[in-house]
Amino acid sequence: MVIASQIVSVLFSIFSRLQKTKTKSLILLLISNTINIISLILLDQAAGTFLTVATIIRTVIFFLYNKFNLKPSIVTLVTFELSFIIITGVTWSSSVDMLFLLGVIILTFATWQDNMFVLRNGMILNSTILIAYNILVGAYINIIGELFCLIAAIIAIIYYDIYKRTTPIIKRLLYYVKPRRKRKRLRARLRKR
């Protein structure tokens, strides 16, 4: 059960990093965190479980802010950061929990921003920290998954921010799977853009 939940969580996490818009990225991140709770409960990581529940609340609130085109205030950011620190202090079991807290704080700051470049960089830092956390906790599937998430975030930065592509990566990948006639039509539409 732990391995299955980790694999599904990692897949949603990878897809969240490949998204062009913040809204889609937050939705997939929400699904990934919801599924990740199962593996954290089964690995007996209380701090990680409660922090993940708090990150789900954070993701929902930031999603609503983004959906209604509002900028969350600095008070909202500080409230979330302080709540994460308090949760870690209450559920403290080992110094490994500090890595998870650091990753959550970085990703909270990144999702608070409206800039997708900052969000993608935050996802890179978060994946790097979570790789170390998962090594120490023993969540081996999550280690491999976070490596893939790290690679996906780097690809997204190169694709969207360096090459300035506008077509979503998933759509570009599906281009090669579609039959030949559909590819020709899609290629013609992409050239018009």
Side-chain angles (χ1 to χ4, degrees):
M1 184 69 170
V2 175
I3 294 174
S5 64
Q6 288 175 353
I7 290 172
V8 174
S9 173
V10 162
L11 287 175
F12 279 106
S13 186
I14 289 170
F15 287 130
S16 76
R17 279 142 172 85
L18 293 175
Q19 297 304 312
K20 181 180 177 186
T21 62
K22 185 177 176 181
T23 304
K24 291 178 183 176
S25 182
L26 289 176
I27 289 171
L28 292 171
L29 197 60
L30 175 70
I31 295 169
S32 172
N33 285 336
T34 305
I35 296 170
N36 195 28
I37 288 176
I38 297 168
S39 63
L40 288 169
I41 289 171
L42 293 174
L43 288 171
D44 198 30
Q45 294 295 315
T49 303
F50 288 115
L51 280 173
T52 305
V53 169
T55 59
I56 288 172
I57 294 168
R58 172 208 66 196
T59 306
V60 167
I61 289 174
F62 285 160
F63 170 77
L64 292 173
Y65 272 114
N66 192 46
K67 183 174 174 73
F68 295 115
N69 292 326
L70 299 171
K71 172 74 174 145
S73 66
I74 190 79
V75 174
T76 307
L77 175 68
V78 171
T79 303
F80 278 121
E81 302 289 12
L82 286 176
S83 68
F84 295 142
I85 292 170
I86 291 169
I87 289 171
T88 303
V90 170
T91 60
W92 179 274
S93 63
S94 69
S95 59
V96 176
D97 297 338
M98 293 305 291
L99 284 174
F100 198 86
L101 174 66
L102 182 62
V104 168
I105 286 174
I106 289 172
L107 195 58
T108 300
F109 178 75
T111 54
W112 177 69
Q113 303 289 324
D114 285 334
N115 190 346
M116 280 301 289
F117 180 70
V118 173
L119 179 59
R120 290 186 191 105
N121 282 318
M123 288 180 171
I124 287 175
L125 287 172
N126 184 43
S127 292
T128 306
I129 292 168
L130 285 180
I131 288 170
Y133 173 78
N134 289 322
I135 287 172
L136 296 173
V137 168
Y140 301 111
I141 301 297
N142 278 351
I143 295 168
I144 296 167
E146 287 299 330
L147 282 172
F148 283 122
C149 290
L150 180 66
I151 292 168
I154 292 170
I155 288 171
I157 284 179
I158 292 170
Y159 184 81
Y160 292 120
D161 299 317
I162 295 175
Y163 288 151
K164 305 285 187 202
R165 302 286 176 133
T166 57
T167 306
I169 292 175
I170 304 299
K171 190 178 229 180
R172 178 88 51 182
L173 290 174
L174 290 176
Y175 167 77
Y176 296 105
V177 177
K178 292 184 176 184
R180 178 176 233 134
R181 196 172 351 153
K182 287 185 179 180
R183 274 192 288 184
K184 286 182 182 179
R185 279 188 252 143
L186 183 60
R187 187 182 305 147
R189 274 190 275 154
L190 290 174
R191 284 184 185 159
K192 287 179 185 178
R193 289 185 184 172

